[in-house]
Amino acid sequence: MIYEIFMPKLTHDMQTGILVAWVKKENDLVKKGDVLFEVETDKAISEVEAEDEGYLRGISVEDGQEVKVGEVIAYLTSDETEPLPAGSGSQPTDEAPEQPEAVAGEPVMKKEDPSPDSVSPESVSPDSLERIFISPIARRMAEESQIDIHKVPGSGPRGRIIERDITAVLAARAATKPGKLANTVAYQDRRMSRANQVMAARMVESVQTIPQFVVEMAVRLDEVLRYKAIWQEQHQKKLSLTAILIRAVSQVLGGFPLLNASVIEPETIRVYEDINIGIAFQTAESLLVPVVHNAPARSMFEIMTIMDQFRMVASERGFQPEDLALGTFTISNLGMYGVERFTALINPPQTAILAVGSSHDQLVRTDKGFGFCSAIALRLSTDHRVITGVYASQFLTALRELLENPKTLILQEVDQR
Amino acid sequence: MPENGSRKLTYMLAIREALQEEMRADPHVLIMGEDLARHGGGFGVTKELWEEFGSDRVRNTPISENSFVGAALGAAMTGSRPVVELMFMDFAMVAMDQICNEAAKVRYMYGGQAQAPLVIRCPQGGLSWKSAAAQHSQSLEAWFVHIPGLKVVFPSNAYDAKGLLKSAIRDNNPVVFIEHKALYGIEDLVPAEEYLVPFGKGKVVRPGNDVTVIASGYMVHFAQEAASRLEEKGIEVEILDPRTLKPLDEELFYQSIKKTHRAVIVQEANKNAGLGMDWCARIQENCFDWLDAPISVLAGEDVPIPYASSIENQIYVSTSDIVRAVKEVCYG
């Protein structure tokens, strides 16, 4: 008896999974319920168990490889010498045979025809095992557009592929590559990294689900720069504007609980008692948002130390999951790149994000006529389901007042450890 | 479509006006049938015509359908253009020999030397002002469409009824002109000036892109109601009324279905060997590669029409049935 082991569909929208590691090795005798291998999806790493007993053989996928859902990656045989189907072994099959989709939690193995007298497994093509139901117009459209109907999920009765299924494939195709231009414009399709995929999903969620509006306020920086220099002198350490902003925001945020909150269902706002400030970081692969947890209780020095660690870790791609979790508010600073002002997208499920521009000279009226001061633009994007314009403005005003009188903010250490 | 000078006219008055205009225009046009003169026929369609045209051209007949259809056929072959009224289409059964075996074959049997410009007006169908039971409510159009040599017309509104009847009277071949009894009182805009509706030219009653619903006679009105309901659900229904069942505007069906990819056919008659199944077969022969769902044929139950209206109402296709079928072919 031979059982196929294939990449299971662990989540509804899973198309591929990364086989992180085989827990069992070639020729191991496996018992039902033993963990065979681990799979990484964009959500989690899951263990996949054996649904039957047998020898694990014909492993065709190595650790770390990305595999399409339904692709056969190994077999379980009831005795050690049983011949495996053609094409199995170490060479990977280049075309995944059409498999019925296993729903999460259902068996991931399919029984091969066990009868020894019938046709040998080699002569049974996967296509002949499954009749494809498809409406005439869908078949014609698929032929005209050279769509492989074996790969199209049917949404009609009995899984019939119907017009809208083909239309969906064509739409997806049009979205990924410009059909007509394909002949004339050179291009290359690149697979998004996991981190990129997560960013994509979150940003789509942000613009699709959160009605966002933006308020901006200019803040004079002269005092901040003065005390920043004093601090640096005292500590013999560089202090970043981002660190000062984290501390300033965390001090002000307590008075504006709706900005430290999430809309968790249409009628419910979850207001967080902890204030955990996330800070947008560019890593080699994508954008990540490590979090300064419990920021109000931390001294300037502590926050700056955490920021230094983040900067080191970001360049080495090594954030721990706990570094990235439980943020309640986000700051994004592009000032160091010369951006004067910009609008950030809210990082769901939060209700606000602060976009920080570069410090620049601003002409101001003085007693003697005119002069220059340093200023930055602080632009707050907020969730209009819970935040009003006045509320957002009051937050920025409070933040400006603190930043324009920053002596205690920067120099007084909260934590005396 | 309505030109200047259009008035609202019932289906019945539109038919009467067609008869009157053709009788005024052509002295060879005469009408005959049971109680047609003073009484105005079974449903009052021919009222006032006897007063204007007299007993030679508005002729009462005995209850003898086979005989008076035969007499009309003889008149047609010898230069008249008779319009016969059968009180109920169900009574055509006693005149089947004259209609199907004689009138339909005259031109062919005489090698084109004779012709039969004969119109047989047949009120048919159920769901009318009162129950008429099993022998007075049938929908028999398929019987006559099946006979080579007959033309079959089935208007769904006053405008088409007038224009088609005038075309029928001017046609040199026998025409079975079906009137739905439930439509007699329904008004529509009818131009004051003369117009004809040609045979073999169907009508897009309502344009749409999602599904084609084909209906004729009274069923067109049910289809329109269903389409309004479906519009609220975002489904655009295209309704086609072939108007003449033979000759049939098949091309109109195919054009529409090549656009919508889905078809629902609605008929009052029962399904067995009915026109819906005939159209269904033609569509799949000609539009197979354009179909996204099986063609749905909705039809009445295969039973004698009950007298009790509570039961009668249940044997026909309802608006909800059409809504359901459309959603099904749209996979909605």
Side-chain angles (χ1 to χ4, degrees):
Chain A
M1 190 95 79
I2 299 178
Y3 300 93
E4 290 175 346
I5 301 171
F6 53 82
M7 178 57 69
K9 194 174 178 86
L10 296 169
T11 59
H12 178 67
D13 52 356
M14 176 174 166
Q15 305 286 330
T16 65
I18 294 173
L19 196 146
V20 177
W22 283 98
V23 176
K24 295 290 177 184
K25 301 275 168 281
E26 183 87 15
N27 295 323
D28 277 0
L29 179 59
V30 173
K31 290 201 295 291
K32 187 174 175 176
D34 283 354
V35 174
L36 290 174
F37 56 90
E38 293 172 347
V39 174
E40 184 185 351
T41 66
D42 51 2
K43 300 208 172 53
I45 293 183
S46 306
E47 295 179 333
V48 177
E49 297 177 356
E51 290 292 322
D52 231 304
E53 192 178 283
Y55 291 93
L56 179 64
R57 297 174 56 215
I59 292 178
S60 58
V61 170
E62 288 169 20
D63 292 1
Q65 219 173 307
E66 185 163 2
V67 185
K68 277 187 238 164
V69 167
E71 188 172 327
V72 176
I73 53 176
Y75 298 87
L76 276 188
T77 61
S78 39
D79 78 74
E80 272 177 287
T81 55
E82 201 162 345
L84 295 173
S88 67
S90 50
Q91 79 273 28
T93 48
D94 52 9
E95 201 57 66
E98 191 68 15
Q99 296 292 352
E101 287 177 353
V103 179
E106 286 188 358
V108 296
M109 279 176 282
K110 194 185 94 172
K111 285 185 186 181
E112 285 259 299
D113 185 354
S115 56
D117 299 331
S118 66
V119 282
S120 64
E122 289 88 334
S123 66
V124 180
S125 84
D127 286 359
S128 65
L129 293 174
E130 198 181 358
R131 162 104 160 75
I132 291 180
F133 294 99
I134 178 165
S135 82
I137 184 81
R139 182 182 293 280
R140 199 166 61 89
M141 288 168 69
E143 277 170 16
E144 282 169 3
S145 305
Q146 294 173 343
I147 293 169
D148 181 358
I149 58 171
H150 296 85
K151 292 178 181 160
V152 180
S155 66
R158 290 189 303 277
R160 183 190 300 150
I161 301 168
I162 57 177
E163 185 183 5
R164 68 165 170 239
D165 301 325
I166 303 291
T167 310
V169 172
L170 289 173
R173 200 189 257 187
T176 53
K177 63 174 180 188
K180 276 189 178 168
L181 292 179
N183 295 329
T184 53
V185 177
Y187 69 94
Q188 162 178 88
D189 291 338
R190 289 188 191 167
R191 187 157 177 83
M192 287 184 186
S193 67
R194 290 279 152 181
N196 194 164
Q197 289 173 29
V198 170
M199 176 174 77
R202 293 180 75 88
M203 290 303 103
V204 168
E205 184 191 347
S206 178
V207 291
Q208 286 186 345
T209 63
I210 305 177
Q212 310 190 14
F213 76 97
V214 165
V215 289
E216 184 187 297
M217 208 173 267
V219 174
R220 292 172 70 154
L221 269 194
D222 301 300
E223 293 297 290
V224 162
L225 296 177
R226 187 153 78 90
Y227 288 105
K228 181 172 169 251
I230 296 171
W231 190 94
Q232 291 184 158
E233 186 64 30
Q234 282 177 356
H235 292 83
Q236 287 301 304
K237 182 175 165 69
K238 194 177 179 317
L239 178 61
S240 72
L241 188 57
T242 306
I244 296 170
L245 282 163
I246 291 171
R247 187 156 150 82
V249 166
S250 71
Q251 300 294 317
V252 174
L253 212 44
F256 297 88
L258 294 181
L259 293 167
N260 193 59
S262 295
V263 178
I264 55 167
E265 50 190 62
E267 287 99 24
T268 308
I269 308 165
R270 180 169 292 166
V271 176
Y272 298 109
E273 287 161 6
D274 294 329
I275 293 177
N276 302 330
I277 310 285
I279 184 82
F281 253 90
Q282 180 70 39
T283 68
E285 278 207 311
S286 180
L287 177 69
L288 290 175
V289 185
V291 176
V292 178
H293 296 98
N294 198 14
R298 296 185 190 274
S299 68
M300 195 68 262
F301 184 83
E302 246 183 300
I303 292 175
M304 192 57 224
T305 309
I306 293 171
M307 290 300 291
D308 287 339
Q309 282 167 3
F310 283 168
R311 193 163 297 113
M312 242 164 57
V313 163
S315 61
E316 291 161 14
R317 265 184 84 190
F319 282 114
Q320 295 299 305
E322 54 269 29
D323 292 337
L324 304 173
L326 305 178
T328 59
F329 185 95
T330 303
I331 297 174
S332 179
N333 185 356
L334 291 179
M336 58 285 240
Y337 300 104
V339 171
E340 279 199 22
R341 66 198 71 236
F342 70 102
T343 302
L345 292 176
I346 291 175
N347 183 17
Q350 297 170 9
T351 53
I353 185 167
L354 185 70
V356 182
S358 61
S359 75
H360 53 275
D361 288 344
Q362 193 172 313
L363 190 65
V364 287
R365 187 186 279 276
T366 66
D367 300 339
K368 296 163 199 157
F370 292 98
F372 286 98
C373 77
S374 254
I376 50 168
L378 296 181
R379 186 174 275 195
L380 184 73
S381 304
T382 67
D383 183 340
H384 212 330
R385 289 175 297 179
V386 286
I387 312 295
T388 63
V390 169
Y391 193 89
S393 309
Q394 285 168 342
F395 170 78
L396 282 183
T397 304
L399 189 58
R400 183 179 65 186
E401 275 165 19
L402 184 56
L403 286 168
E404 292 182 353
N405 304 284
K407 185 178 175 188
T408 53
L409 177 76
I410 297 175
L411 295 185
Q412 191 182 347
E413 299 292 290
V414 171
D415 189 341
Q416 299 301 325
R417 276 179 299 175
Chain B
M1 175 133 7
E3 291 101 290
N4 289 337
S6 287
R7 323 127 294 160
K8 280 205 154 183
L9 221 55
T10 61
Y11 188 82
M12 179 189 293
L13 289 177
I15 292 169
R16 184 187 298 165
E17 208 171 75
L19 290 169
Q20 192 176 37
E21 282 179 15
E22 290 306 297
M23 289 175 83
R24 284 178 186 167
D26 181 353
H28 296 102
V29 178
L30 60 95
I31 62 175
M32 47 198 291
E34 291 153 7
D35 289 336
L36 213 102
R38 282 193 181 80
H39 191 66
F43 298 90
V45 175
T46 58
K47 270 188 182 152
E48 297 165 17
L49 296 180
W50 175 75
E51 284 81 353
E52 178 174 350
F53 299 104
S55 298
D56 281 350
R57 296 180 66 197
V58 181
R59 302 180 78 98
N60 274 342
T61 65
I63 304 176
S64 55
E65 282 79 5
N66 202 39
S67 305
F68 69 74
V69 172
L73 174 60
M77 290 170 69
T78 52
S80 295
R81 304 189 86 85
V83 181
V84 172
E85 176 181 299
L86 298 178
M87 189 179 283
F88 289 87
M89 186 173 202
D90 314 68
F91 303 163
M93 294 185 202
V94 290
M96 282 311 260
D97 182 55
Q98 286 304 319
I99 300 171
C100 300
N101 221 11
E102 303 298 337
K105 297 175 173 67
V106 159
R107 180 181 290 279
Y108 179 80
M109 295 295 284
Y110 292 96
Q113 295 178 72
Q115 56 189 29
L118 167 68
V119 179
I120 304 165
R121 290 184 38 243
C122 306
Q124 81 159 19
L127 291 166
S128 47
W129 86 111
K130 62 179 184 180
S131 296
Q135 296 154 321
H136 302 78
S137 304
Q138 298 167 87
S139 295
L140 299 176
E141 65 273 14
W143 291 28
F144 299 94
V145 170
H146 190 65
I147 302 297
L150 293 180
K151 295 182 180 179
V152 183
V153 181
F154 194 9
S156 65
N157 59 74
Y159 176 92
D160 289 341
K162 183 178 174 191
L164 286 168
L165 183 52
K166 285 168 72 79
S167 293
I169 292 169
R170 296 180 190 191
D171 199 291
N172 286 334
N173 297 289
V175 177
V176 175
F177 189 89
I178 303 172
E179 299 163 13
H180 199 287
K181 301 195 288 271
L183 293 177
Y184 277 138
I186 295 182
E187 286 184 328
D188 197 12
L189 282 174
V190 177
E193 57 269 40
E194 184 172 47
Y195 68 95
L196 296 175
V197 173
F199 285 8
K201 199 103 189 75
K203 182 155 91 178
V204 179
V205 175
R206 175 194 176 109
N209 286 315
D210 296 330
V211 56
T212 301
V213 172
I214 307 174
S216 50
Y218 195 23
M219 286 295 132
V220 173
H221 299 257
F222 289 79
Q224 281 174 299
E225 233 180 273
S228 306
R229 274 205 238 163
L230 286 156
E231 187 180 25
E232 292 160 20
K233 297 182 169 65
I235 299 178
E236 289 176 39
V237 176
E238 177 148 298
I239 301 174
L240 305 183
D241 175 2
R243 303 198 285 195
T244 58
L245 307 178
K246 191 178 188 177
L248 181 67
D249 190 358
E250 293 174 61
E251 276 310 314
L252 182 71
F253 294 1
Y254 307 152
Q255 274 168 25
S256 173
I257 288 159
K258 283 176 182 175
K259 176 179 72 175
T260 63
H261 306 158
R262 287 163 272 268
V264 173
I265 300 167
V266 187
Q267 68 179 30
E268 180 176 335
N270 56 334
K271 204 175 205 176
N272 311 47
L275 279 190
M277 301 311 278
D278 174 306
W279 297 347
C280 175
R282 289 170 197 270
I283 291 165
Q284 72 84 15
E285 278 174 355
N286 289 280
C287 301
F288 183 77
D289 280 331
W290 282 266
L291 289 173
D292 196 38
I295 302 161
S296 176
V297 179
L298 301 176
E301 297 290 341
D302 190 27
V303 293
I305 312 296
Y307 175 66
S309 55
S310 57
I311 314 175
E312 185 188 0
N313 288 337
Q314 291 175 42
I315 70 156
Y316 301 115
V317 177
S318 68
T319 306
S320 308
D321 293 333
I322 301 171
V323 168
R324 210 176 304 122
V326 165
K327 281 194 198 159
E328 208 174 301
V329 299
C330 289
Y331 300 107

